Each structure stands twice: as structure tokens, then as C-alpha cells.
Amino acid sequence: MRPRTSRSGWLAVLAVAAVTAVAAPSATAASVDPDAAPVQAAVAAPDIPLANVKAHLTQFQSIATANGGNRAHGRPGYLASVNYVKAQLDAVGYTTAVQSFTYNGATGYNLIADWPAGDPNAVVMTGAHLDSVTAGPGINDNGSGSAAILEVALAVPRSGFTPDKRLRFAWWGAEELGLRGSRHYVNTLPTAERAKIKQYLNFDMVGSPNAGYFVYDGDNSDGVGAGPGPAGSAQIEQTIQAYFTSIGVPTRGTDFDGRSDYGPFISVGIPAGGTFTGAEGIKSSAQASLWGGTAGQAFDPCYHRSCDTSTNINDTALNRNADAIAYAVWALAQAATPPGSTVWSDTFETATGWTGNPAGTDTATAGAWERGDPAATTSSGVTTQLGTTVSGSFDLVTGALAGSSAGTYDLDGGVSTIQSPAVTLPSTGTLTLSFSWYLAHLTNASSADYLRVRVVGTGTVTALNATGAASNRTAAWQTGSADISALRGQTVRVVIDAADASGASLVEAAVDDVTITQS
């Protein structure tokens, strides 16, 4: 697990958990995801042999010992760890791929493995980071998560399980340096492929010697921090909690604080969840009463130290978490896609392949649509372009620069169009397009000026058709949505166009946070 810039936020999370540890968590009706019911598997998950998980940890320790004492990014011990895991998966029939990336002048690797069964358009993905810090072999952080998901993956062919959804497992590189591997994977995954990932499960440190039993708080019902995950995360949380309830182990929420490899997934709207047994935080007396162990001591006293070796593991916690992983994977792989799940989304913080003037028929002479970090512009006291976006720093905007005057980079001369990459829509459920937008203009505008958002497949659904008028209209973010279920099962594109068709009028427009959900 990567270090935090500041420990205060994490310690605050643990403090809240300690205060609420004696009583069962509660939530107001407004904070509970209505689609948070746990999933129960029709085919029960197998018991995951602790001895097998520990055998993988022994291999990781041996690899570190033979390669300078660690398995860190850019070091030979990391690549040897990738090769070990890959060989195990290849031998039982997984389709594996090693994805390379560069960080700090060194080559890093992600290992991705798909089981060749189940719906390829509905993927349940399970991941753990495989790298250690340079200080030690990283057996709990995160050999434990890596070994546990490896043994769960190996249990699929061994048990004869036939999942309804496609199972994908991932071992991430350079997590300890800032989620570099998982972020590279998410950011470079084609939009249509990203939309196929319906749930992501993350397991980072699941055998801490002074263990706690934390589950990512999908619906914010424990109120431990930044808020709930994307729609559908609560169902993952409830499914994992159902397993621990079945074995009589209480759990507490841990926040989606972006500390591990689920961060890049939730940032693009993919539901996520997982478990965590604690890092450098201190176990409280209430938590020791709840779970056993030593109050006043770190959950993992060897966190990011040379002593994070094969002896730095709580076998009971590792065994319980490995079985919880299998329970969640088996249940989610047999379940329908959770209501409210994200089919596709774009916050425009990274370039995802939108195309300007896609048909080659645009007539605008300036201020064409672009993905940009917008500069604020005003004219005669009217804000014509906002310098802030709905999320992050980038949006789609008609000419992002400010220029010497408000009219320098505004939309001029006619129509400008921009088109999303192809999106394959599910064939079932209610499909909804949602987005944020504004249209701004001065009194020299008319109803010939407009901002329009459409979804185009074999048919077309118009989600917005905002027209101008001969009045001042200041830029202000609004939300729009439309039912696009008529296009189910089609490959579509979101098409956005704006027009300055009133001669010398001053017109600006922007769109942000475009999302398609299924319910």
C-alpha cells in the first residue's frame, strides 16, 4: 500500500472506526444505496487452502531474497514476481498479458489474466499490487493480497466453476510510487473496453499481524471520510460483509481515500470494493476488544520496513480474507449487473479519443470544440466562459483560451462539432445519459445560436437542444439527462455541436462529466 502525503486523514478514519467499533454502524435513509443488497451465489465458492496461499508467499520471499531483498518497481525481484505469477496462470489455461509502462526511468509491468468463459461484455475484475517498497520484500504489503487473489484465480479451473461474467485478475506494478501501474491501465484502456468492467475488487494488505477487518465503505454508511464509491459499490461492500457475518467476524468501513489501486477505477465511475487489515495506523482498545490483537500497536508494525517478511503474517486474517475474496468473486460473477452501474463515462481529465469536426462539414472559423483547461472570460459584466469545471481541471469547451478580449476565442462563423469514441451499449436495462453543460451569450445572440447534445447509433436521441436569445446569458453549470434505452445493444457515439449563426454574436459553450448508466 502506498504511503500517504499526510497521515492525519488516515488516522482520522481509524479514530472514527474506533469510536463506532462497539455499536453496529448505522446510516440515515439518505446515505444508504437502495441497490446495496448483498449478492448470494447460486454456486458456492470453494474454501481457499491457506497452505497454498502461504506457498505463494514463500515464493515471493525467496524471490526477494535472491534479488537484493525486495520486489520493487524497476528491480529484478519485481519482474521475477510477475514471471512467477504468470507461469502459475498460464499452466491452468488463463489468457495472460504483460503490460509495460515507464516510471522514474524504469520499466514497470502489469500482469492481466482473463479466464476464457463468461460474458466478455460484463467483467468482474480483481486486483492487487505486486510490487514492494525498496526497504524490504513486502510480504504483507502486498504479497498477501497478490497471493490470495492468485490462489482464488487458480481455484476457478480447479473447482470447475463456470462464471456468467468474465473473470479478470490483475497484478499491478509501481503502486508504491503512486498507483502508477493501475492508473496506466485505466487511462490507456479503450473507452469501450473500460465500459465492460462492471465491478473492480481490490485487495491490499490482507494478512496484517495485528489485523483489523475493514471493508471499503461503498455507501458511506460508516461515515468514515470522503463519501460513497460509484453506484454499485455498496453492493460489493454488502456482499463481502455477508461473508464475514456468516463466519461471525464483525467488520468496519474504511474510506475510498484513493490510497490503493481502486483509485483510478472509481475516478472513472467503476464500482469498487475490497478488504484491508490495516497498515501503520494504531489499533484502539475498542478495536482490540472487537477483533483481538494488541491495542496501542500498529496493525502492521513492519509496514514499509525490512521486517515485512514471511513471518509478518497473521494466518487467521489471511485465511479469512482469501475465503472472502473467493466468496465475492463467485457471487458477483453469477449476479446480474448491479442497478445504476456505469456503462461509460468521461470526466475529460485524460484524452480518451474525442474527434473534432468528425464529418468534415463544420463551418466555424474560431472557437472550435476542444478538450482543454478553460480560462475565464467576461464581457460587459457577463461571464461568457467559466474558468472552473464540474470536476478536475478539464472539460469540453469552445476555445479554452481567454485571449485579449472575450471575443478572441469565442465560437465564430458557424457550427463546431465534437464526437466521442464508440460506446457499445448493453442490450438490457434502462440506459441514461447524463452530463453537465452551459451555453453563454450576449444580447447580440439569437435563436439561431445553439448547443446540442445527441447520442447517435442507427437512430438518434437528442438529449439537449438549448437555443440562444437576444439577451445576456451568463455561464453557469447545469445538468442534463436523457433516456437512451431506444439505442440498447447498439454501438453509439455522443455528438455535441454548437453554433454561432447570428453574425457577430458572442457565444461560448462547455460540457463536462458525461456518463451513461444502466439500471
Side-chain angles (χ1 to χ4, degrees):
M1 177 166 282
R2 73 183 178 96
R4 298 174 64 86
T5 301
S6 169
R7 294 180 58 191
S8 59
W10 177 241
L11 295 177
V13 168
L14 294 177
V16 172
V19 170
T20 60
V22 176
S26 62
T28 64
S31 69
V32 176
D33 185 337
D35 302 313
V39 177
Q40 295 183 345
V43 177
D47 178 72
I48 301 301
L50 175 63
N52 292 8
V53 181
K54 295 271 287 184
H56 300 314
L57 293 181
T58 298
Q59 291 297 320
F60 292 147
Q61 177 68 67
S62 297
I63 287 169
T65 300
N67 290 280
N70 66 65
R71 300 178 303 102
H73 168 72
R75 306 295 178 89
Y78 179 72
L79 183 55
S81 299
V82 171
N83 290 337
Y84 168 74
V85 175
K86 185 177 186 299
Q88 300 293 308
L89 298 164
D90 288 340
V92 297
Y94 275 85
T95 302
T96 60
V98 177
Q99 180 188 49
S100 63
F101 60 93
T102 302
Y103 183 70
N104 272 357
T107 301
Y109 304 95
N110 295 325
L111 174 62
I112 312 297
D114 275 37
W115 182 243
D119 183 356
N121 294 312
V123 176
V124 176
M125 190 168 189
T126 304
H129 77 86
L130 187 54
D131 64 314
S132 73
V133 293
T134 57
I139 299 304
N140 185 39
D141 184 15
N142 182 38
S144 61
S146 292
I149 73 166
L150 172 58
E151 192 55 31
V152 169
L154 296 177
V156 173
R158 187 168 64 228
S159 67
F161 178 46
T162 303
D164 296 317
K165 294 180 182 176
R166 180 63 49 94
L167 295 180
R168 179 172 300 161
F169 294 87
W171 288 262
W172 306 117
E175 186 270 357
E176 297 290 6
L177 301 178
L179 319 181
R180 303 297 170 178
S182 57
R183 183 172 290 120
H184 176 79
Y185 174 80
V186 171
N187 288 350
T188 59
L189 198 64
T191 302
E193 292 301 312
R194 187 189 294 174
K196 295 176 183 178
I197 302 175
K198 304 307 179 184
Q199 293 104 0
Y200 173 71
L201 307 178
N202 192 74
F203 299 96
D204 188 353
M205 302 180 67
V206 296
S208 301
N210 194 26
Y213 292 87
F214 297 103
V215 179
Y216 291 120
D217 193 8
D219 59 2
N220 204 31
S221 58
D222 277 11
V224 292
S233 299
Q235 188 176 68
I236 300 172
E237 175 193 13
Q238 295 293 328
T239 300
I240 294 172
Q241 286 178 332
Y243 172 76
F244 283 106
T245 297
S246 74
I247 62 171
V249 175
T251 62
R252 292 295 178 259
T254 186
D255 185 36
F256 278 121
D257 59 0
R259 192 178 185 186
S260 192
D261 290 299
Y262 58 82
F265 288 86
I266 64 173
S267 72
V268 297
I270 295 173
T275 64
F276 171 52
T277 53
E280 80 278 30
I282 304 301
K283 180 177 279 189
S284 69
S285 296
Q287 289 168 333
S289 297
L290 191 68
W291 294 317
T294 305
Q297 185 180 93
F299 292 97
D300 183 355
C302 287
Y303 175 67
H304 283 188
R305 298 174 59 193
S306 60
C307 57
D308 186 8
T309 65
S310 56
T311 62
N312 189 48
I313 290 290
N314 180 320
D315 284 0
T316 299
L318 182 63
N319 191 32
R320 289 170 172 172
N321 276 275
D323 288 337
I325 295 167
Y327 181 94
V329 169
W330 256 248
L332 293 169
Q334 297 174 75
T337 300
S341 63
T342 299
V343 173
W344 175 83
S345 68
D346 202 336
T347 62
F348 305 107
E349 295 310 296
T350 59
T352 58
W354 288 69
T355 304
N357 191 16
T361 57
D362 286 1
T363 55
T365 56
W369 283 107
E370 63 178 325
R371 171 187 167 269
D373 183 355
T377 61
T378 59
S379 179
S380 303
V382 177
T383 300
T384 53
Q385 181 166 288
L386 292 173
T388 56
T389 63
V390 177
S391 65
S393 302
F394 289 80
D395 60 9
L396 292 182
V397 62
T398 52
L401 299 178
S404 58
S405 69
T408 303
Y409 292 104
D410 75 312
L411 182 62
D412 280 326
V415 178
S416 177
T417 309
I418 195 164
Q419 175 179 279
S420 76
V423 179
T424 301
L425 298 180
S427 58
T428 60
T430 299
L431 305 180
T432 302
L433 171 76
S434 60
F435 53 93
S436 295
W437 66 278
Y438 68 77
L439 174 67
H441 52 71
L442 301 183
T443 56
N444 54 7
S446 77
S447 59
D449 303 321
Y450 64 81
L451 167 63
R452 184 170 57 182
V453 178
R454 295 170 292 156
V455 182
V456 180
T458 56
T460 298
V461 174
T462 299
L464 176 71
N465 189 14
T467 57
S471 60
N472 289 333
R473 180 175 187 167
T474 194
W477 285 111
Q478 303 178 61
T479 57
S481 65
D483 186 333
I484 60 170
S485 302
L487 304 176
R488 282 188 294 242
Q490 298 182 27
T491 298
V492 302
R493 287 177 169 81
V494 180
V495 179
I496 302 170
D497 49 3
D500 169 23
S502 300
S505 58
L506 197 159
V507 176
E508 293 277 20
V511 171
D512 202 2
D513 288 9
V514 181
T515 302
I516 298 173
T517 57
Q518 178 190 40
S519 60

